[in-house]
Amino acid sequence: MKSVVMNVHSEKARSEILAKLTYAIGKDPVVAKRHDWLHATILALRDRIIDRWMDSTRRAYQAGAKRVYYLSLEFLIGRLLRDALSNLELTEPFDAALKSLDVDLSLVEEMEPDAALGNGGLGRLAACFMESLASLDIPAYGYGIRYSHGLFRQIISDGWQTERPEDWLEGGNPWEFPRREAAYRVAFYGHVAGEALADVRQRHFWHHGEALLATAYDTPMVGWRGKRVNTLRLWSARPLDPIHLEAFNVGDYAGALADHNRAEIITRVLYPADSTPQGQELRLRQEYFFTSASLQDILRRHLQSNPNLKNLPDKVAIQLNDTHPAIAVAEMMRLLVDMHGIPWAEAWKITQAVTAYTNHTLLPEALESWPVNLMERMLPRHMQIIYAINEDLLKMVRARPGVTAEFISSVSLIDEHAGRRVRMGQLAFVGSHSINGVSALHTGLMKETVFANLHTLFPDRINNKTNGITPRRWLKGANHGLTDLLKSAIGDGFLSDADELQKAEPLAKDKAFRQAFAAVKRENKAELSNLIAARMSIATDPTALFDVQIKRIHEYKRQLLNILETIALYEAMRDEPSKNWVPRVKIFAGKAAASYAQAKLIIKLINDVAHVVNNDHSLKGRLKVAFIPNYNVSLAEAIVPATDLSEQISTAGMEASGTGNMKFALNGALTIGTLDGANVEIREHVGAENFFLFGLEAHEVEARRKAGIDGRALLEKSPALKQVCEGLLAGHYSDGDTMRFRPIVDSILNGDWFLVGSDFDAYAAAQADVASLWTKPDEWTQSAILNTVRMGWFSSDRTIRDYARDIWNVPVK
């Protein structure tokens, strides 16, 4: 009976795909190329999604449901075909349908481009949250920017990173629906009427100097088993008039298209370099552009079903994902006061009640601030509003007994010590009813550091919501072998409720299950070995220890610590070639910001070390190093299931949470890491004995920095590190160039801000413990299984339930 039902489903899918290929793509199966089959398959699946999408929208309107609006400058959604097929449980019939047409679904899936709409963890978290919101049947919209190119495509040339445009839209995007009717005017510059005379808290009129249109493109976000389909709405910029005909007709062709180009550049590239005034201006234009369009859309939707905006907090919850959309506080006030005539005090209560802010970093450079003169010029009405909010805040502060000038200065929205800048994190804090961190450690540090004084003013606002990942994408989608093994052992309930993974814990002591678990890991490693060989011509042994660090390249994430210890290991293997060394494959991937010279130098070092190590035949293949270019979601889906050792080695106190650490542990990798971010909670859940801990803790890092670090003394205390640094300065890994890596050695000698030298010996000792456990495969596999089955708490479903209960006040079924 099951096979009959499957045949019916696959025949239906076959006819739908052929119909799309013929009538939407305009191709005969005989001449269709792989990209034609990709588009036809997506369109056939999309038709099925649309019915659920419309039903989800109707149910929300009929119930008068409160909606969640998630504003994020990044959505790293990756490929959607595999995810949607999996969540709708249609993979088998669509696979069978395509096989009957002599088409391989896996090859078709590989043709889908990764939507380059994010940089790393921030954007991937937003994507996981969108999936969980739909899976938990919570009406929600995601709002972001439809970047034409998004984050750059990374090319490694002679070991150096170079950046190329990522043309993910080159072949069109069959998932999206343009919504020309959802177009909003977004304005910049100009002046505010009566600004020198009237109370800025009264209704004002902003005479803008420039305006453009934000037009919407909607993508359906499918929840598990199609329970709900929510919307990801991305904004694209276009001019009010596509061309100035008068200028064109007199031969001024560039001038005729000036407005068109100025508008489109806003949504051209993710994160333009902000090291120049022009770059800062463009970044701020991007942030205001998508925030303004989103808020206008939210208010328009609310007024379709409600007579006024007074009950907005009962129907709307807005979550700001980091400081990028923090201008929403001032923009909401402008819309309420100026456009809808709501008195200032009432508008402020509404704004705070609907707005919540997620902080993702304690790094000063990531807590955005903008020059006051730029804000006054670009957003004059918003600057008035910010001044007024700040005046109210400081009036309240000055009324407190014993308050000092230093305290007042620290909580002010205007930083007077750095050329007068607007502190966007503080604006988001003051304008929100909830401010959450993303791991227990990070939230505690927020209270003690960046928001310490604001926390004393508003002690009930900061709360913790530890990040999570969706098991449907990062277990079922990425690791079919492990998913099937778990389903055969405990059923498939863990895909709906990840806590059910705990049912498999007793199997960690079962020999047959351990063998099956290890076999799945070996198969995943063999597939990754094939990928590395195909892309990089590097031969790797799938039976070796796969030691992996894949994430954005940044000094605080300490890829440098990893590669320096790799050099030390290599030199030790050369010194004692007859020793029984554990074979290792060191795998790196990640992108450095285009203007981040030190991070790009670290990439060069990794590649230069790889060149030396991989060509040293005396090692007999026992150590290999691979930097896989152009890291993205699809590459992560191939690497994570094959990983034995997960490198989570950031300087303690600097990583807010991390989600890569969760993906690796869920897929049976053991973690080597510091007590930083969510590592703390992962270690608590999986067990200290199943986690390789090393390094200074956050309070020790702070104390060490305050005391000052003598880099030269560090090298004298660590012979291995000293030898590595001397080798770098001697040009051993740079073709005799003694200057190439001097900045890296200098970063340790001159202050060691990221504690690379301070933690080196402890890290090397932890790596020795890793090697020791690897020689006991039964014990290693048992620990790997316990990592997987104890990671249920880190599901993004749990995170979203926490947000829904504590921040958004929306029901979860």
Side-chain angles (χ1 to χ4, degrees), residues 151-154 161 551-553 590-593 630-631:
L151 193 65
F152 60 83
R153 179 166 49 94
Q154 182 190 57
Q161 170 184 294
K551 54 183 71 215
R552 180 166 52 97
I553 309 297
K591 297 177 181 179
N630 203 37
Y631 179 56

Side-chain angles (χ1 to χ4, degrees), residues 425-543:
Q426 308 217 162
L427 176 64
F429 190 112
V430 172
S432 300
H433 69 275
S434 167
I435 295 86
N436 72 279
V438 289
S439 73
L441 176 65
H442 168 239
T443 301
L445 290 172
M446 279 171 56
K447 296 176 181 179
E448 297 170 6
T449 58
V450 291
F451 295 132
N453 289 337
L454 282 171
H455 177 58
T456 65
L457 294 177
F458 307 103
D460 298 326
R461 287 196 190 175
I462 294 180
N463 61 91
N464 180 57
K465 298 291 173 283
T466 298
N467 284 343
I469 58 172
T470 168
R472 274 81 58 176
R473 167 75 75 143
W474 292 105
L475 185 57
K476 185 177 188 291
N479 198 337
H480 301 297
L482 181 53
T483 301
D484 290 343
L485 177 62
L486 290 166
K487 285 166 67 175
S488 68
I490 60 172
D492 67 357
F494 64 91
L495 294 172
S496 301
D497 180 2
D499 285 339
E500 290 200 15
L501 285 167
Q502 296 175 37
K503 292 180 178 179
E505 184 161 335
L507 296 173
K509 297 185 180 297
D510 182 272
K511 183 177 181 180
F513 187 83
R514 286 201 303 268
Q515 290 175 339
F517 190 96
V520 168
K521 180 67 75 173
R522 279 195 301 274
E523 179 62 28
N524 291 334
K525 290 167 69 176
E527 291 180 9
L528 180 57
S529 286
N530 292 337
L531 183 151
I532 293 171
R535 294 193 186 182
M536 308 180 67
S537 300
I538 297 174
T540 55
D541 179 4
T543 67

Side-chain angles (χ1 to χ4, degrees), residues 3-15:
S3 63
V4 172
V5 172
M6 175 58 68
N7 286 337
V8 171
H9 285 310
S10 63
E11 281 298 319
K12 184 173 184 288
R14 185 180 192 274
S15 64

Side-chain angles (χ1 to χ4, degrees), residues 572-617:
M573 293 174 80
R574 296 253 315 161
D575 290 343
E576 297 183 77
S578 60
K579 186 175 177 180
N580 190 24
W581 296 100
V582 166
R584 280 190 194 241
V585 179
K586 302 282 288 190
I587 297 170
F588 298 84
K591 297 177 181 179
S595 60
Y596 195 166
Q598 189 78 345
K600 295 174 85 167
L601 185 60
I602 291 169
I603 291 175
K604 173 61 172 171
L605 174 61
I606 294 169
N607 282 295
D608 282 1
V609 170
H611 178 74
V612 172
V613 169
N614 296 341
N615 288 289
D616 189 335
H617 301 294

